[in-house]
């Protein structure tokens, strides 16, 4: 490592810090990614089973690709794909199988409104559950409950099971384990509501041949052993896995790109600050390759320990991010944390490679100068950018403008997908063309500085304009912080605002019946219709469908938010239909939002898979605009209920402002009546929860950018000690130098903030037009002010505090 004084040591320390935090961020993304790939729901009820056979747990289709062969994609199911109980006989014939238990699950609501899961008593032996009091159920009206419910043998309890509510006698209590209610096997089969079928076939035995089990069961089943048995009893973790993988990979890509930009700026500053050193080496015979090798080796020596330390520390950061997401309910229960060496190795390799690559590029110019020009080049910063940098910057700018043009003319997924490319293209273009942006900013903002301070203003303008390469390296992290934070936060606020607006505008219900338990039986909607004063009551059941969606000319298989709605849907909701009629939504029909319709209109067909994997070819009866507020797909409620683990509804929309629904709610445990405003407040809480992942991403990436920003500005300021000393020698006072720096900081930071704001101002209207149809993003003023204050404030502190420290030192006449 070079020993040319405190300035170089400060630059090296800044590079070390930036690489350290870059490795931490990349490794933390790796922790989340590895956790998602390894995550399985905990094995609880099936702990005593050697294997669990279920229906297919994912949907797989071949999707079209531009210029290539179709590729297979899969998405996990959110509901169980049932199996015929008759398959148990063939499974019993497989060598090693001792017995097969057909497991069924259905919701049971206690009188308190608390929900537990109902099973047949045969399933109790799979954990196994052990009786702590009483006996097993023997009659149709007998039940065994978990001890945590507070039930005692001999008590009579009224239980809500799917569509029926009746009294049962508690004959036994079981101890530890997931809360459950056990009935006789015939009773459980009847309450399950799907004769001849089961959710899973649990295998008891040992030394099993998985392939033989797979061949014995029909329909391409899934055979789960070991930790994978947990996914058979709880689909939530498997359903969340693809989204967390996508988020982690996306966050990791952004982290690496950001690291390249931030660390690249620091390495460029380091190389420019050492031009005099490299000039002397060139005059004594050093070759360009030797100069380039010196810079790369020094950066590698700094980067290796920084990347290693950051990789190790990333395990803690990844665990903290995982814990925060789990506490907020973003990750389902049982989504475990995996800590291994792979994220550390990935962080080390990725960060070190990025550091070496940026060092190689940064050293290209300083290594090519001729010895006769070396000292001149060291004394005066070149007026022109390298040709490759201008060409690359213009190319990315053109790409960004093309993406902008496409996003303003396209709609739905096509436009939304192009916005991501637009942001990255403009940020990279700003990084490459930073010195040109700096010169433009110094001309514009410099005039204001000259008007404010006639003496120090021209000095600040000249300093910002003359050192354009340095100023460009300083502007880039400021613009990156403002642009990234603004686009991420305001894109979510735009979607959240549009979602609330669409839901409120389209909700024509006067009252809403909701449940604090497992859901509402279909009879609740029927009872509401019979209530005096009620003109319509539409049950709504949330679900997920899997459907090919076309974006940018390519198909992708996506899990889409959907609703199953009752016959009175057209009277209680207005999704703003543009083609067809919502009243025709019955049987095997479907209504699609414009974002996923892909050009379909009423009368066409759509192929999709329901939540349990059942493929249907539905007739499109309506296309609507308010997909954010009402989901991308609307289906008949009966169709959704028939392919769900539970037929219970999520809520019921009721028309009838003066109708008294208290008796209807009192008849069902956990049901209550709320106003549309209260219902909308609950929706707002759900939207805020969905935005938590986005907040984690913004906090992590923006935090790293700000660390890089502060490091860049502080080291760049500290490296200007010779310049400050020269100003003091020609008569400038300490106060004048500080005033000059304040104005120069205002010029540089103002230019960076303006560049970042311009990127956001170009991107956000395009995004808003794509997802809402109106190019008006929702920008909370306080959040916008906080972003600007955070970037500008931290930048100003990073410039002025080191300058004060440097100016306190005695000026050396030799300027050494």
């Amino acid at each position: 490592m070079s020993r040319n004084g405190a300035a170089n040591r400060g630059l090296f320390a800044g590079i070390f810090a930036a690489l350290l935090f870059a490795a931490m961020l990349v490794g933390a993304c790796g922790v989340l990614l590895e956790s998602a790939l390894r995550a399985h729901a905990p094995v609880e009820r099936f702990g005593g089973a050697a294997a669990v056979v279920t229906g297919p747990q994912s949907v797989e289709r071949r999707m079209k690709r531009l210029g290539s062969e179709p590729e297979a994609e899969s998405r996990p199911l959110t509901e169980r794909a049932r199996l015929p109980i008759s398959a148990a006989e063939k499974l019993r014939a497989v060598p090693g199988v001792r017995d097969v238990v057909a497991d069924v699950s259905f919701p049971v609501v206690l009188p308190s409104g608390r929900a537990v899961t109902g099973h047949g008593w045969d399933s109790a032996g799979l954990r196994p559950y052990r009786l702590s009091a009483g006996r097993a159920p023997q009659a149709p009206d007998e039940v065994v409950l978990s001890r945590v419910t507070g039930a005692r043998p001999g008590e009579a309890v009224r239980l809500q099971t799917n569509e029926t509510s009746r009294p049962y006698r508690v004959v036994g209590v079981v101890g530890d384990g997931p809360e459950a209610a056990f009935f006789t096997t015939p009773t459980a089969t009847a309450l399950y509501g799907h004769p001849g079928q089961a959710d899973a076939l649990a295998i008891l035995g040992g030394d099993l041949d998985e392939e033989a089990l797979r061949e014995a069961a029909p329909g391409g089943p899934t055979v789960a052993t070991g930790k994978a048995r947990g996914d058979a009893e709880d689909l939530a973790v498997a359903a969340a896995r693809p989204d967390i993988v996508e988020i982690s990979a996306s966050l990791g890509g952004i982290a690496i790109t950001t690291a390249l930009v931030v660390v690249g700026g620091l390495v460029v500053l380091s190389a420019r600050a050492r031009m005099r050193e490299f000039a002397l080496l060139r005059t004594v015979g050093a070759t360009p390759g030797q100069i380039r090798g010196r810079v790369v080796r020094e950066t590698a020596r700094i980067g290796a320990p920084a990347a290693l330390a950051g990789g190790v520390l990333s395990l803690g950061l990844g665990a903290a991010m995982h814990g925060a997401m789990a506490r907020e309910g973003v990750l389902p229960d049982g989504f475990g944390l995996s800590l291994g060496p792979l994220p550390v190795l990935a962080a080390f390799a990725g960060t070190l490679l990025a550091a070496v690559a940026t060092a190689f590029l940064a050293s290209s110019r300083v290594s090519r100068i001729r010895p006769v020009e070396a000292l001149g080049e060291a004394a005066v910063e070149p007026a022109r950018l390298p040709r490759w940098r201008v060409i690359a910057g213009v190319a990315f700018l053109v790409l960004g403008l093309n993406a902008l043009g496409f996003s303003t003319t396209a709609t739905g997924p096509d436009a939304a997908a192009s916005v991501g490319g637009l942001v990255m293209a403009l940020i990279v273009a700003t990084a490459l063309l930073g010195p040109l942006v700096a010169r433009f900013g110094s001309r514009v903002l410099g005039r204001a500085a000259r008007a404010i301070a006639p003496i120090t203003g021209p000095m600040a303008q000249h300093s910002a304009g003359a050192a354009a390469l340095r100023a460009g390296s300083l502007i880039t992290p400021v613009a990156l912080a403002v642009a990234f934070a603004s686009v991420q936060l305001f894109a979510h606020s735009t979607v959240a605002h549009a979602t609330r607006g669409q839901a409120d505008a389209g909700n024509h219900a006067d009252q809403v019946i909701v449940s604090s338990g497992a859901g509402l039986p279909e009879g609740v909607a029927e009872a509401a219709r019979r209530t005096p004063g009620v003109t319509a009551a539409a049950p709504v059941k949330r679900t997920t469908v899997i459907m090919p969606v076309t974006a940018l000319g390519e198909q992708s298989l996506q899990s889409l938010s959907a609703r199953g709605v009752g016959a009175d849907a057209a009277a209680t909701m207005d999704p703003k239909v543009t083609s067809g009629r919502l009243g025709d939504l019955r049987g095997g029909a479907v209504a699609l939002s414009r974002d996923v319709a892909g050009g379909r209109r009423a009368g066409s067909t759509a192929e999709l898979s329901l939540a349990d994997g059942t493929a249907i070819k539905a007739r499109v009866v309506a296309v609507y605009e308010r997909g954010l507020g009402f989901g991308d797909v609307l289906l008949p409620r009966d169709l959704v209920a028939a392919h769900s683990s539970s037929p219970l509804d999520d809520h019921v929309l009721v028309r009838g402002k003066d109708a008294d629904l208290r008796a209807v709610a009192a008849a069902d445990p956990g049901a209550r009546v709320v106003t549309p405003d209260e219902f909308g407040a609950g929706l707002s809480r759900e939207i805020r929860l969905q935005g938590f992942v986005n907040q984690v991403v913004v906090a992590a990436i923006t935090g790293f950018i700000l660390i890089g920003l502060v490091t860049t500005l502080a080291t760049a300021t500290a490296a200007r000690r010779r310049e400050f000393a020269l100003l003091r020698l020609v008569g400038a006072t300490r106060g004048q130098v500080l005033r000059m720096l304040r104005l120069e900081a205002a010029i540089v930071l103002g230019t960076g903030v303006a560049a970042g704001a311009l990127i956001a101002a170009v991107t956000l209207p395009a995004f808003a037009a794509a997802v809402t149809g109106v190019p008006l993003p929702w920008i909370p003023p306080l959040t916008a002010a906080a972003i600007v204050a955070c970037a500008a404030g931290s930048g100003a502190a990073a410039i002025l505090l080191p300058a004060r420290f440097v100016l306190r030192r005695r000026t050396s006449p030799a300027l050494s």
Side-chain angles (χ1 to χ4, degrees), residues 373-539:
E373 299 173 346
L375 292 177
E377 289 271 358
V380 180
E381 194 173 85
R384 293 184 177 181
L385 285 178
R387 183 178 301 174
W388 70 266
R389 187 166 175 175
V390 175
I391 294 174
V394 171
F396 275 102
L397 184 61
V398 171
L399 287 175
L401 294 177
N402 285 338
L404 174 63
F406 179 83
S407 62
T408 55
T409 57
T411 58
D414 283 349
S418 68
V419 168
L422 168 62
V423 176
M424 294 310 301
L426 293 179
I427 287 177
V428 174
T430 301
L432 292 170
L433 302 177
L436 300 181
V437 177
R439 291 190 183 112
F440 178 78
S442 68
R443 285 196 297 269
V444 175
L445 298 180
R447 296 192 186 99
R450 295 170 71 97
I452 295 173
I455 297 177
T456 55
M459 296 169 58
Q461 183 184 20
H462 175 76
S463 179
L469 284 175
R470 182 188 66 208
S473 299
L474 304 182
I475 285 171
T476 299
V478 180
L480 181 60
V482 173
F484 178 80
S486 298
V487 170
Q488 290 292 325
L489 291 177
F490 300 149
H492 176 260
S493 67
T494 298
V495 172
H497 180 72
T499 300
R500 289 191 296 266
Q502 290 184 10
D504 292 342
N507 186 3
H508 290 178
D510 300 308
Q511 301 182 71
V512 184
I513 305 175
V514 298
S515 174
S516 58
L520 302 170
E522 186 179 12
V524 171
E526 294 293 337
R529 289 191 191 98
R530 295 192 298 267
T531 302
V534 172
T535 58

Side-chain angles (χ1 to χ4, degrees), residues 272-347:
R272 294 300 307 170
R274 300 171 62 194
M275 280 291 288
R276 182 178 297 274
E277 173 189 342
F278 298 143
L280 291 173
L281 290 174
R282 289 288 284 134
T283 58
V284 297
T287 65
Q290 289 174 327
I291 298 295
R292 185 181 295 112
R294 181 187 182 95
V295 174
V296 171
R297 286 193 299 272
E298 287 178 349
T299 304
R301 284 197 293 267
I302 298 170
L308 181 59
V312 174
L313 293 175
S314 71
L315 297 178
L317 179 60
M321 293 173 64
H322 179 281
M325 295 167 70
R327 285 193 301 273
E328 292 295 326
V330 176
L331 298 179
D333 294 338
F335 197 105
L337 172 66
S338 295
L339 295 176
L342 290 180
V344 178
L345 294 176

Side-chain angles (χ1 to χ4, degrees), residues 23-52:
M24 288 178 61
L25 192 54
V26 173
C29 299
V31 170
L32 293 179
L33 180 60
E34 184 178 18
S35 298
L37 294 175
R38 297 179 182 274
H40 291 288
V43 181
E44 295 181 323
R45 288 200 311 108
F46 292 152
V52 181

Side-chain angles (χ1 to χ4, degrees), residues 25 101 171 252 273 350 384 390 403 425 461 471 485 528 611 660 685 709 722-723 778:
L25 192 54
V101 177
V171 296
R384 293 184 177 181
V390 175
Q461 183 184 20
D660 188 355
R685 285 192 293 272
L709 167 64
R722 293 174 58 86
E723 176 187 341
W778 182 256

